[in-house]
């Protein structure tokens, strides 16, 4: 008769079901013993840890199924620690579950919101305080305070200036100059064209004069990959073709995407793959990007030979190597 | 007599007889074929080349051409040298069964003597890289492990991974694992540049440096688990997989146990 | 009174004289905590943080964060005589010369991975149950902050040993910094003290990793826990549970024992992983040099999705008056993650705006009863999972005989196509589950027993469900959609009309639900049986 829809009611907390340990003293004793065993196991774990740490040498290996030959010292201290810790936890939890009271307790939530009069009093207090401070009445203080704080915020920024030098055109220069010999990495040996067979690659760096130390900063820009193909396999314009020598072509090894070393050369497809994000470059077309997120081909180094027949750079790179940056083309 | 007739009617009699028959046939065939191949004599070099030629014509020429000049599906073998053949056939890559992606390492079809014969035949066609001798492969004596590691990481790790476990190339090709490979096959791969692998000439990586690399590879292969199960030695992918399966699985299991009412 | 009780009383009195602690301790020792296994997920993260502090402190006693070049002279033969940074050399020493050093390194790294897993599963629990609603929005924002900082902290941590794999990661991070428009190269030179890799970076990130970020973590985690403490934990709906109470167990002794025990469980499992599973074997990677890289280079899993996004990005770079803007780096590396994390942080406010629900909530939602929210969550998870999988595409390709090219194209398409499909499927699933709940309440549980009636009809016997279960399945709220006016009384379009229209639409979608069973309907049906 009434339009009222009656909802299903809350039956309240279900009647408590007692655990075995609550009613049966033997079950309680059993639970207690189980907890004790767990704690004892933990102690055993610590003993294993101590024994392994002191007495097992770190060159002893034993065979464990699935894992293979395993270092016993490492396994002993590790498993000892794991057992020691885990069993304390298991003991505590089992104790709480079986023996500590598990009757559910109800607590009431309180309203977070303050009473209206408390809120009003709060607002009044703040207003009175602000009035006492007098900022509103004294614009000169407010302005100069703002200027003082604002200016002083610049100090920490300024103090960080010497974190590093300005880049200048450092990112656009490498150690490759006209006449710089290509040397093997590692080994620092100069290379002749006849040292490379067709299908061969070589990891190279620029030769450093005696006394000058090569740092990783230099490697990060100078690394060059040499690849030898048959000259007829190139698909280059005349200028880029003149940068090769007898089928040998040189590219910067630093990926134009994000700077990983690109040296995965697939001899049959003549593709270079960067393992970081799978950018793929076609060597026959001056490292043109044919797959992946790289947006630019790898810079090509103009190479030829010097009077003694060693491979040298005929000119520095004509563009910055490595990942892009804002002022790259300026 | 009764016992024998009873055994004859035993349930297991059939299977036992079958196994016995298979065993007999199998061993007979093995012995017979072993006897056959033992008759192959390798004392004479020209005999070896002739044998190699016969093996080549039978097993390789259908793809590589009657004179090893190459056809569309297989390259010319003229000038590839004995080392290439020793590598390709010795690791079972050739004859190539599955033509889809790239030649896979598998059980070699030919015996070592046959591989040698094939190699000598192909080497006779034109000069090429030679099979390294045992004297050339004494990496224990001539190689340096630490230098080998440096060389491997600079020249090989980008394809074969930092621990030589192998890696992906484009279009489904891959650089295989270098674990469990004979030192001479490693050497030959470097000097011949099989399939996608480039050539590492002796001038850019000297023979001593190659031995150092082999020594390092062998030391990594023999290196036992220092920190526990290696999880494939491929890095964070398997490590992440382990935490998301075993790690959180154990922890959630314990959490469920914690919150379940005791009986 | 026993002697022990007397001494304890004296100590307590001593402390209380000076702090007044007895009153609030008494109140807090009896504080009630609801008990559900999914409430322990946040504790996994919390305890992992403590484990990280402990194991990390151990490591700092031996680690040398300097990038100065040294020649290795320790016991690991394959690296003897090799030039490397002091940071890398000291990591090798911890692994090979310090007893328990390798174990602690591994425990530390496994704990870091578990810390992030804990945060993510905890976030999923909080999201899918709607625990972020008023009054817990601040805590949600703190949580998102902890997630973001955790990712950074982990990245810096595994970069400290300066090995080939993590050095590659730093190279990529530097490329992201460098790609920032206008200021990129300057910021990079400031961060690295010059050109990459420089000689200062490891010691700088060491300070951030052991001092700055842990300090921020401690502060944020403290506030996070204090808010939970003060606001009291939420609870799942059920018999006897209301918006105005908390049903559970008291802190002392039950919760202390269980939560304290769980700390040892987490520590024990982490130690177990550290004992049996190798992680970050830096001696195999070798020291970092920009001229080397390993096949299959990935960051740790919690950054894997970022790597996946970068891998699948189109090769987009534009030139603005001669200046280079690398969209192929900025979009996947900064813009997309920025949008995702901002959206995540603001979600509580977005949801309350969309549904118009501004009330306090202390009872959790069963995910099926909030189909829109659950579907959005499934969508986000799908997006992250596709990008995570793409992050490992080369290893997946070699393991399962696929090609990286296939994986890349699959990911590019899947990341756009799969999330909306996940949304629709999840929403439908939730509604189906609601229907199943309704049927359960109205018709009871299907017992599988068939009975033939006298008139020949076959029926399946249904067992009525318990009153507690019926309450659980019908106690949730079903919000009506908003009907905000677009025109005022005179028919003139209001200024906020478009916003209102949008809110109406979204709340209507969010309000799609199977009407829950009522007592009235049950009684009506009873008449038929």
């Amino acid at each position: 008769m009434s339009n009222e829809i009656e909802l299903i009611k809350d039956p309240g907390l279900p009647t408590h079901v007692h655990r075995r340990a609550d009613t049966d003293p033997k079950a309680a004793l059993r639970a207690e013993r189980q907890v004790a065993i767990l704690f004892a196991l933990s102690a055993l774990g610590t003993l294993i840890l101590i024994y392994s740490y002191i007495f097992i040498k770190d060159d002893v290996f034993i065979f464990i199924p699935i894992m293979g030959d395993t270092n016993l010292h490492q396994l002993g201290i590790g498993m000892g620690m794991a057992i020691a810790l885990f069993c304390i936890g298991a003991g505590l939890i089992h104790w709480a579950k079986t023996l500590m009271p598990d009757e559910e307790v109800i607590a009431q939530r309180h309203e977070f919101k303050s009473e209206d009069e408390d809120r009003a009093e709060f607002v009044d207090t703040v207003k009175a305080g602000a009035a006492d401070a007098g900022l509103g009445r004294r614009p000169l203080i407010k302005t100069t305070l703002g200027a003082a704080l604002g200016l002083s915020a610049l100090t920490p920024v300024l103090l960080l200036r010497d974190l590093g030098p300005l880049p200048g055109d450092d990112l656009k220069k490498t150690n490759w100059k006209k006449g710089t010999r290509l040397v093997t990495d590692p080994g620092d040996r100069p290379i002749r064209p006849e040292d490379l067979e067709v299908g061969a690659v070589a990891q190279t760096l620029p030769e450093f004069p005696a006394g000058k130390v090569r740092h990783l900063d230099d490697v990060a820009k100078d690394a060059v990959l040499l690849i030898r193909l048959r000259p007829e396999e190139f698909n280059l314009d005349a200028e880029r073709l003149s940068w090769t020598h007898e089928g040998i072509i040189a590219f910067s090894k630093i990926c134009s995407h994000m700077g990983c070393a690109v040296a995965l050369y697939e001899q049959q497809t003549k593709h270079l793959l960067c393992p970081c994000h799978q950018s793929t470059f076609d060597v026959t077309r001056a490292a043109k990007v044919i797959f992946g997120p790289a947006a630019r081909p790898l810079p090509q180094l103009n190479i030829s030979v010097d009077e003694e027949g060693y491979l040298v750079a005929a000119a520095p790179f004509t563009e910055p190597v490595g990942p892009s940056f804002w002022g790259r083309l300026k | 007599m009764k016992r024998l007739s009873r055994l004859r009617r035993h349930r297991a009699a059939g299977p036992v007889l079958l196994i016995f028959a298979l065993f007999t046939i199998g061993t007979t065939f093995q012995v017979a074929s072993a006897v056959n191949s033992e008759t192959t004599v390798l004392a004479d070099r020209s005999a070896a080349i002739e044998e190699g030629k016969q093996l080549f014509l039978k097993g390789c020429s259908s793809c590589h051409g009657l004179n090893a000049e190459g056809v569309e599906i297989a390259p010319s073998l003229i000038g590839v040298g004995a080392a290439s053949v020793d590598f390709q056939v010795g690791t079972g890559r050739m004859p190539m069964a599955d033509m889809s992606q790239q030649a896979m390492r598998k059980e070699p079809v030919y015996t070592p003597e046959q591989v040698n014969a094939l190699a000598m035949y192909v080497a006779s066609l034109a000069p090429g890289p030679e099979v390294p001798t045992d004297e050339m492969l004494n990496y224990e004596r001539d190689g340096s492990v630490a230098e080998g590691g440096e060389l491997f990481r600079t020249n090989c790790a980008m394809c074969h991974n930092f621990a030589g476990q192998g890696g992906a190339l484009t279009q489904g090709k891959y650089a295989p694992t270098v674990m469990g490979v004979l030192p001479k096959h490693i050497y030959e791969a470097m000097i011949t540049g099989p399939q996608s692998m480039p050539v590492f000439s002796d001038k850019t990586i000297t023979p001593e440096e190659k031995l150092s690399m082999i020594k390092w590879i062998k030391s990594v292969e023999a290196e036992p688990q220092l920190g526990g199960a290696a999880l494939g030695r491929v890095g964070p992918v398997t490590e992440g997989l382990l935490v998301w399966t075993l790690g959180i699985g154990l922890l959630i299991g314990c959490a469920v146990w914690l919150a379940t009412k005791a009986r | 009174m026993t002697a022990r009780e007397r001494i304890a009383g004296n100590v307590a009195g001593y402390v209380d004289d000076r702090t007044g602690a007895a009153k609030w301790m008494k109140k807090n020792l009896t504080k009630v905590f609801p008990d559900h296994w999914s409430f322990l997920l946040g504790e996994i993260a919390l305890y992992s943080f403590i484990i990280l502090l402990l194991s990390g402190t151990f490591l700092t006693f031996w680690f040398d964060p300097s990038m100065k070049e040294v020649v290795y002279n320790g016991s690991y033969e394959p690296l003897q005589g090799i030039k490397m940074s002091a940071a890398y050399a000291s990591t090798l020493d911890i692994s090979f010369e310090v007893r328990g050093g390798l174990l602690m390194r591994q425990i530390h790294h496994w704990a870091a991975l578990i810390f992030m897993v804990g945060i993510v599963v905890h976030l999923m629990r909080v999201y899918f149950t709607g625990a972020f609603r008023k009054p817990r929005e601040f805590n949600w924002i703190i949580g998102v902050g902890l997630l973001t900082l955790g990712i950074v902290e982990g990245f810096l941590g595994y970069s400290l040993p300066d090995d080939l794999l993590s050095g590659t990661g730093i190279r990529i991070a530097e490329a992201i910094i460098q790609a920032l428009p206008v200021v990129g190269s300057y910021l990079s030179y400031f961060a690295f003290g010059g050109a990459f890799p420089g000689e200062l970076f490891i010691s700088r990130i060491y300070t951030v990793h052991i001092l700055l970020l842990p300090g921020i973590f401690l502060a944020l985690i403290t506030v996070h826990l204090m808010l939970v403490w003060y606001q009291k934990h939420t609870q799942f709906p059920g018999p006897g549970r209301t918006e105005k109470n908390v049903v559970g167990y008291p802190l002392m002794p039950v919760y202390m024992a269980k939560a304290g025990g769980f700390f040892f469980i987490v520590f024990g499992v982490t130690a177990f992983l550290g004992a049996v599973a190798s992680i970050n074997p830096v001696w195999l990677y070798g020291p970092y040099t920009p001229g080397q890289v390993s096949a299959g280079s990935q960051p740790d899993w919690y950054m894997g999705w970022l790597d996946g996004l970068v891998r699948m990005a189109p090769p987009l770079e534009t030139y603005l008056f001669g200046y280079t803007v690398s969209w192929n780096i900025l979009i996947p590396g900064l813009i997309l993650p920025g949008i995702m994390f901002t959206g995540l942080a603001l979600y509580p406010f977005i949801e309350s705006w969309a549904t118009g629900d501004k009330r306090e909530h202390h009872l959790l939602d069963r995910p099926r009863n909030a189909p829109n929210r659950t579907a959005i969550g499934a969508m986000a998870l799908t997006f992250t999972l596709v990008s995570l999988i793409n992050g490992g595409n080369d290893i997946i390709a070699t393991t399962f005989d696929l090609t990286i090219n296939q994986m890349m194209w699959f990911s590019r398409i899947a990341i756009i196509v799969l999330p909306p499909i996940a949304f629709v499927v999840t929403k439908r699933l939730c509604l189906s589950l609601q229907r199943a709940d309704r049927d359960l309440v109205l018709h009871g549980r299907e017992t599988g027993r068939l009975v033939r009636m006298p008139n020949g009809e076959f029926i399946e016997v249904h067992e009525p469900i318990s009153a507690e279960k019926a309450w659980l399945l019908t106690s949730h709220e079903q919000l009506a959609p908003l009907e905000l006016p677009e025109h005022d009384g005179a028919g003139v379009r209001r200024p906020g009309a478009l916003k209102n229209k949008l809110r109406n639409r979204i709340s209507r979608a969010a309000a799609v639900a199977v009407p829950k069973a009522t007592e009235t309907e049950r009684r009506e049906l009873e008449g038929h049986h």
Side-chain angles (χ1 to χ4, degrees), chain B residues 57-230:
Chain B
L57 288 172
K58 223 185 330 183
C60 321
S61 60
S62 54
C63 290
H64 284 286
L66 286 170
N67 296 311
E69 74 277 17
V71 295
E72 242 172 65
I73 49 169
S76 158
L77 298 180
I78 300 175
V80 297
S84 294
V85 178
D86 193 53
F87 174 79
Q88 297 280 6
V89 185
T91 60
R93 284 175 164 83
M94 291 290 153
M96 194 164 165
D98 176 6
M99 300 287 279
S100 55
Q101 246 13 295
Q102 63 183 58
M104 276 180 9
R105 183 166 118 198
K106 53 190 192 302
E107 247 340 281
V109 168
Y110 298 101
T111 66
E113 292 78 18
Q114 291 173 318
V115 173
N116 186 44
L118 277 167
M120 290 177 78
Y121 167 64
V122 171
S124 73
L125 298 173
E130 286 165 18
V131 175
T133 62
D134 283 339
E135 177 55 26
M136 286 165 66
L137 287 173
N138 195 343
Y139 61 87
E140 289 288 354
R141 179 193 68 195
D142 299 330
S144 145
V145 164
E147 185 195 46
E150 281 285 275
L151 286 157
F152 187 89
R153 286 188 287 273
T154 305
N155 289 286
C156 323
M158 59 281 211
C159 289
H160 287 284
N161 146 305
F162 63 92
Q165 302 296 318
L169 300 174
T170 64
Q171 304 297 348
K173 305 189 286 289
Y174 58 92
T177 172
V178 298
M179 298 287 115
V181 181
L182 290 176
K184 93 170 156 149
H185 287 151
I186 301 177
Y187 198 99
E188 287 162 352
M190 283 196 268
I191 57 177
T192 63
Q195 291 216 294
S196 294
M197 179 165 167
V199 173
F200 293 94
S201 321
D202 275 345
K203 285 289 168 55
T204 48
I205 301 186
T206 66
E208 289 76 33
E209 287 178 334
K210 289 192 168 80
L211 290 179
S212 294
M213 291 159 85
I214 293 173
K215 191 169 183 186
W216 182 86
I217 292 174
K218 289 303 157 193
S219 99
V220 168
E221 198 178 297
E223 190 175 290
Q225 327 269 42
L226 294 174

Side-chain angles (χ1 to χ4, degrees), chain C residues 2-190:
Chain C
T2 67
R4 204 181 311 155
E5 281 174 6
R6 212 190 8 248
I7 295 173
N10 286 341
V11 170
Y14 186 90
V15 174
D16 183 58
D17 281 344
R18 289 152 181 76
T19 59
K23 184 164 166 207
W24 59 262
M25 280 231 65
K26 171 227 157 244
K27 181 167 157 232
N28 283 309
L29 284 176
T30 52
K31 196 173 186 66
V32 174
F33 287 88
D35 203 18
H36 191 268
W37 68 263
S38 65
F39 297 165
L40 292 160
L41 300 174
E43 286 180 34
I44 295 179
L46 172 67
Y47 299 146
S48 295
F49 179 69
I50 299 175
I51 297 168
L52 285 167
L53 285 178
L54 294 172
S55 54
T57 307
F58 176 94
L59 294 173
T60 63
F61 293 147
W62 285 275
F63 181 71
D64 180 2
S66 157
M67 287 173 88
K68 192 160 68 166
E69 195 179 82
V70 299
V71 173
Y72 181 66
N73 201 11
S75 61
Y76 184 66
E77 210 202 312
L79 286 173
Q80 262 166 16
I82 297 292
K83 295 202 205 114
M84 55 182 65
S85 62
Y88 185 74
S90 65
T91 311
L92 291 175
D93 288 341
I94 292 176
S95 305
F96 299 124
E97 319 303 332
V98 176
R99 274 177 295 183
L102 181 58
L103 176 69
M104 291 307 269
R105 265 196 63 226
Q106 301 203 153
I107 288 180
H108 192 73
H109 202 143
W110 283 120
L113 297 189
I114 293 179
F115 176 63
M116 296 309 297
V117 172
I119 291 183
V120 169
V121 293
H122 171 65
L123 180 150
M124 292 203 289
R125 196 282 294 167
V126 169
Y127 175 82
F128 284 112
T129 56
F132 54 79
R133 291 172 293 176
K134 177 175 176 184
R136 296 178 175 82
E137 303 99 321
F138 290 155
N139 238 7
W140 171 264
I141 294 182
I142 293 178
V144 175
L146 286 168
L147 170 66
T148 321
L149 289 178
I151 293 177
V152 176
E153 175 82 339
F155 171 71
L156 294 180
Y158 72 73
S159 302
L160 287 174
D162 196 24
D163 56 273
L164 182 57
L165 181 64
S166 61
T168 306
I170 298 188
R171 171 83 254 213
I172 293 171
E174 191 273 334
I176 297 181
I177 300 174
Q178 197 174 289
L180 287 167
V182 185
V183 296
S185 47
Y186 295 93
L187 285 180
S188 166
Y189 269 60
F190 285 159

Side-chain angles (χ1 to χ4, degrees), chain A residues 256-277:
Chain A
S256 58
H257 180 228
M258 292 177 105
C260 294
V262 189
L264 259 120
Y265 178 60
E266 294 179 0
Q267 203 209 135
Q268 286 177 326
T269 57
K270 320 279 185 291
H271 291 164
L272 266 176
L273 173 68
C274 182
C276 287
H277 308 107

